[in-house]
Amino acid sequence: MKKYFKSLENSNLFIINEDFQNYQVELVNFKLIKKPFYSKEELIEYSKDEFTLNLAKYISKIVHKGQVDKGNIDYFSGHIQTVVDTVRTNNEKIVAYLHDSIEDTNLDLNSLNNAFDKEIIEAISIITKDKKIDYIKYIESVKSNQLAKGVKIADLKNNSDLSRLSTVTEKDLQRIKKYKKALNILMK
């Protein structure tokens, strides 16, 4: 049986097995690794749901570090956190933390396979836009997965908020038009 912990001293996440094969989970070169630890840090215990949510947050924060959105706001604390705060369930929040991680960073889906349930991986895969696929076909694919659909709706609503921008251009207005069409498809 595994137990899940977070350090009180920093953002480190730990898994402790009954057979005492303890390891710390880290993201190194966009790959999740497990490394043995022998920590004397004070730890707080998490449920598996809390652990996976915090792991998704940890990954997202690292891979989006230094990125800004179209309003020149920190991408993680602005867009990503807004999408997370908009959705309700734990699984939606996990997908929300990771929804742009594959598309906009060097992280790949295989790196996440051992850390998250199949349902989460499938939703992240579906919500990740393949540039070769027509946008409307992509949105219809997202609509077929309830988990991806809920996160994409929150994503599009935040991306449609023109108040985040200091100047609104014609390109912004065209993008909003595209997003509204997508929202109509997703919400039917």
Side-chain angles (χ1 to χ4, degrees):
M1 182 174 151
K2 294 180 182 175
K3 290 189 176 186
Y4 303 90
F5 296 87
K6 180 186 180 310
S7 171
L8 288 174
E9 298 172 21
N10 52 50
S11 63
N12 292 342
L13 297 169
F14 301 95
I15 298 175
I16 299 176
N17 291 314
E18 224 171 51
D19 58 1
F20 299 106
Q21 292 178 349
N22 307 333
Y23 53 91
Q24 178 177 345
V25 180
E26 286 187 11
L27 192 67
V28 177
N29 296 325
F30 296 96
K31 302 283 184 217
L32 276 176
I33 62 163
K34 298 174 186 175
K35 69 178 198 181
F37 81 95
Y38 310 96
S39 176
K40 301 216 185 283
E41 295 179 51
E42 192 171 347
L43 304 176
I44 55 172
E45 188 168 357
Y46 274 168
S47 69
K48 182 180 179 191
D49 285 347
E50 290 172 311
F51 180 84
T52 54
L53 180 63
N54 277 284
L55 180 59
K57 182 178 182 178
Y58 163 79
I59 292 168
S60 182
K61 196 177 246 187
I62 288 174
V63 299
H64 291 293
K65 186 176 183 168
Q67 293 180 348
V68 293
D69 67 9
K70 290 181 182 1
N72 207 30
I73 297 167
D74 177 74
Y75 199 72
F76 176 82
S77 60
H79 177 68
I80 298 290
Q81 196 61 56
T82 300
V83 174
V84 170
D85 293 343
T86 304
V87 296
R88 289 185 225 110
T89 70
N90 196 65
N91 282 354
E92 285 176 324
K93 289 180 184 302
I94 291 168
V95 173
Y97 273 126
L98 299 170
H99 80 275
D100 281 338
S101 295
I102 307 302
E103 191 175 328
D104 296 343
T105 75
N106 291 329
L107 189 68
D108 64 32
L109 205 53
N110 289 334
S111 300
L112 303 176
N113 275 335
N114 293 329
F116 299 98
D117 293 338
K118 182 181 175 192
E119 176 186 21
I120 301 287
I121 298 299
E122 185 177 317
I124 294 167
S125 176
I126 289 170
I127 208 168
T128 300
K129 170 85 172 74
D130 183 338
K131 291 171 182 35
K132 295 178 250 169
I133 297 176
D134 172 72
Y135 187 72
I136 297 303
K137 286 183 180 174
Y138 159 71
I139 291 298
E140 288 168 351
S141 173
V142 170
K143 185 177 180 178
S144 71
N145 181 289
Q146 284 302 112
L147 190 50
K149 177 182 166 182
V151 173
K152 189 63 182 177
I153 289 170
D155 177 43
L156 289 169
K157 285 182 176 180
N158 182 251
N159 283 336
S160 297
D161 180 5
L162 293 175
S163 69
R164 299 177 311 130
L165 308 177
S166 58
T167 307
V168 177
T169 66
E170 182 59 34
K171 188 176 179 181
D172 296 323
L173 295 173
Q174 291 303 313
R175 191 176 61 255
I176 299 307
K177 190 176 178 181
K178 178 174 105 171
Y179 291 164
K180 285 187 180 188
K181 186 175 182 179
L183 279 166
N184 285 334
I185 293 168
L186 290 171
M187 296 174 84
K188 279 185 184 177

